[in-house]
Amino acid sequence: MQYMLLIYGDPALEPAEGTPDFDAMMEGYFHLSEKMKADGVMLGGEGLMGVETATSLRVRGGKVETMDGPFAETREHLGGYYVIDVPDLDAALTYAALIPSALYGTVEVRPVMDYSSAG
Protein backbone atom coordinates (compact mmCIF):
# COMPACT_ATOMS: atom_id res chain seq x y z
CA MET A 1 0.00 0.00 0.00
CA GLN A 2 1.23 3.46 -0.81
CA TYR A 3 1.53 6.12 1.87
CA MET A 4 2.44 9.80 1.71
CA LEU A 5 4.56 11.07 4.55
CA LEU A 6 3.83 14.81 4.82
CA ILE A 7 6.54 16.66 6.72
CA TYR A 8 5.39 19.73 8.66
CA GLY A 9 7.70 21.96 10.58
CA ASP A 10 7.94 25.28 12.38
CA PRO A 11 11.00 27.16 11.08
CA ALA A 12 11.38 28.75 14.51
CA LEU A 13 12.00 25.32 16.03
CA GLU A 14 14.20 23.81 13.31
CA PRO A 15 18.00 24.15 13.15
CA ALA A 16 19.14 27.24 11.25
CA GLU A 17 20.69 26.76 7.82
CA GLY A 18 24.48 26.89 7.97
CA THR A 19 24.73 25.42 11.47
CA PRO A 20 26.13 21.97 12.36
CA ASP A 21 22.66 20.93 13.57
CA PHE A 22 21.18 21.84 10.18
CA ASP A 23 23.90 19.85 8.41
CA ALA A 24 23.18 16.87 10.68
CA MET A 25 19.45 17.11 9.91
CA MET A 26 20.11 17.20 6.15
CA GLU A 27 22.52 14.27 6.45
CA GLY A 28 19.72 12.40 8.23
CA TYR A 29 17.44 13.06 5.26
CA PHE A 30 20.11 11.82 2.84
CA HIS A 31 20.62 8.60 4.81
CA LEU A 32 16.87 8.01 5.18
CA SER A 33 16.31 8.48 1.43
CA GLU A 34 19.13 6.05 0.66
CA LYS A 35 17.69 3.52 3.16
CA MET A 36 14.21 3.73 1.67
CA LYS A 37 15.66 3.30 -1.84
CA ALA A 38 17.75 0.32 -0.70
CA ASP A 39 14.67 -1.17 1.02
CA GLY A 40 12.73 -0.74 -2.24
CA VAL A 41 9.92 1.29 -0.65
CA MET A 42 10.57 4.85 -1.85
CA LEU A 43 8.47 5.98 -4.81
CA GLY A 44 9.33 9.68 -4.58
CA GLY A 45 9.80 12.67 -2.39
CA GLU A 46 11.05 16.22 -2.37
CA GLY A 47 11.61 19.14 -0.10
CA LEU A 48 9.51 22.20 -0.81
CA MET A 49 10.52 25.83 -1.14
CA GLY A 50 9.60 28.13 1.74
CA VAL A 51 6.00 28.85 2.60
CA GLU A 52 6.42 32.43 1.31
CA THR A 53 6.61 30.98 -2.22
CA ALA A 54 3.28 29.13 -1.95
CA THR A 55 0.14 30.05 -3.85
CA SER A 56 -3.19 28.58 -2.83
CA LEU A 57 -6.09 28.16 -5.22
CA ARG A 58 -9.76 27.46 -4.83
CA VAL A 59 -12.79 27.66 -7.10
CA ARG A 60 -15.90 29.28 -5.65
CA GLY A 61 -19.01 30.01 -7.65
CA GLY A 62 -17.21 29.18 -10.88
CA LYS A 63 -14.44 31.68 -10.22
CA VAL A 64 -10.83 30.81 -9.58
CA GLU A 65 -9.40 32.57 -6.54
CA THR A 66 -5.71 32.57 -5.77
CA MET A 67 -4.03 33.66 -2.57
CA ASP A 68 -0.40 34.14 -1.68
CA GLY A 69 0.83 31.66 0.87
CA PRO A 70 -0.69 28.56 2.39
CA PHE A 71 -4.39 28.40 3.10
CA ALA A 72 -4.15 27.13 6.66
CA GLU A 73 -3.28 29.46 9.50
CA THR A 74 -0.65 27.57 11.42
CA ARG A 75 2.87 27.90 12.72
CA GLU A 76 3.87 24.64 11.07
CA HIS A 77 3.92 24.39 7.30
CA LEU A 78 4.40 21.64 4.76
CA GLY A 79 8.11 21.39 4.04
CA GLY A 80 8.37 18.20 2.03
CA TYR A 81 7.07 14.73 1.47
CA TYR A 82 7.89 11.13 0.69
CA VAL A 83 5.72 8.63 -1.15
CA ILE A 84 6.49 5.07 -0.13
CA ASP A 85 5.08 1.64 -0.89
CA VAL A 86 5.02 -0.60 2.18
CA PRO A 87 2.83 -3.49 3.39
CA ASP A 88 0.89 -1.61 6.07
CA LEU A 89 0.50 1.43 8.32
CA ASP A 90 2.93 0.07 10.91
CA ALA A 91 5.69 -0.06 8.28
CA ALA A 92 4.83 3.47 7.11
CA LEU A 93 4.99 4.72 10.70
CA THR A 94 8.39 3.07 11.12
CA TYR A 95 9.78 5.07 8.18
CA ALA A 96 7.99 8.25 9.30
CA ALA A 97 9.71 8.02 12.69
CA LEU A 98 13.08 8.08 10.89
CA ILE A 99 12.41 11.46 9.24
CA PRO A 100 14.78 13.96 10.90
CA SER A 101 12.14 16.71 11.12
CA ALA A 102 9.99 14.48 13.32
CA LEU A 103 12.26 15.78 16.09
CA TYR A 104 11.10 19.36 15.48
CA GLY A 105 7.74 19.13 13.75
CA THR A 106 5.06 16.68 12.72
CA VAL A 107 4.92 13.94 10.11
CA GLU A 108 1.45 13.13 8.81
CA VAL A 109 1.09 9.62 7.41
CA ARG A 110 -1.76 9.22 4.98
CA PRO A 111 -2.69 6.34 2.65
CA VAL A 112 -2.70 7.20 -1.04
CA MET A 113 -6.05 6.65 -2.74
CA ASP A 114 -6.06 3.56 -4.96
CA TYR A 115 -8.21 4.13 -8.05
CA SER A 116 -7.14 0.91 -9.78
CA SER A 117 -10.35 -0.92 -8.83
CA ALA A 118 -12.59 1.95 -9.99
CA GLY A 119 -14.25 1.18 -13.22
Side-chain angles (χ1 to χ4, degrees):
M1 181 165 201
Q2 294 182 8
Y3 289 88
M4 182 169 251
L5 311 178
L6 300 159
I7 304 163
Y8 292 91
D10 179 349
L13 301 177
E14 296 176 348
E17 191 169 346
T19 65
D21 288 342
F22 180 83
D23 293 342
M25 180 179 73
M26 296 311 293
E27 187 173 333
Y29 272 106
F30 174 78
H31 289 300
L32 175 58
S33 294
E34 292 302 311
K35 174 179 176 37
M36 288 195 289
K37 288 176 189 172
D39 292 349
V41 302
M42 185 169 162
L43 301 177
E46 290 293 341
L48 300 175
M49 298 290 287
V51 68
E52 69 278 1
T53 66
T55 302
S56 298
L57 178 145
R58 63 183 173 199
V59 178
R60 298 289 186 271
K63 293 184 178 180
V64 176
E65 301 174 358
T66 60
M67 297 152 280
D68 291 338
F71 179 72
E73 292 289 333
T74 178
R75 288 186 304 168
E76 291 188 344
H77 63 265
L78 180 61
Y81 67 92
Y82 285 104
V83 179
I84 61 175
D85 190 1
V86 292
D88 55 35
L89 178 61
D90 287 340
L93 293 172
T94 297
Y95 284 105
L98 297 174
I99 293 175
S101 291
L103 297 171
Y104 313 101
T106 304
V107 179
E108 178 181 339
V109 178
R110 190 182 300 186
V112 174
M113 187 72 76
D114 180 5
Y115 293 103
S116 64
S117 62

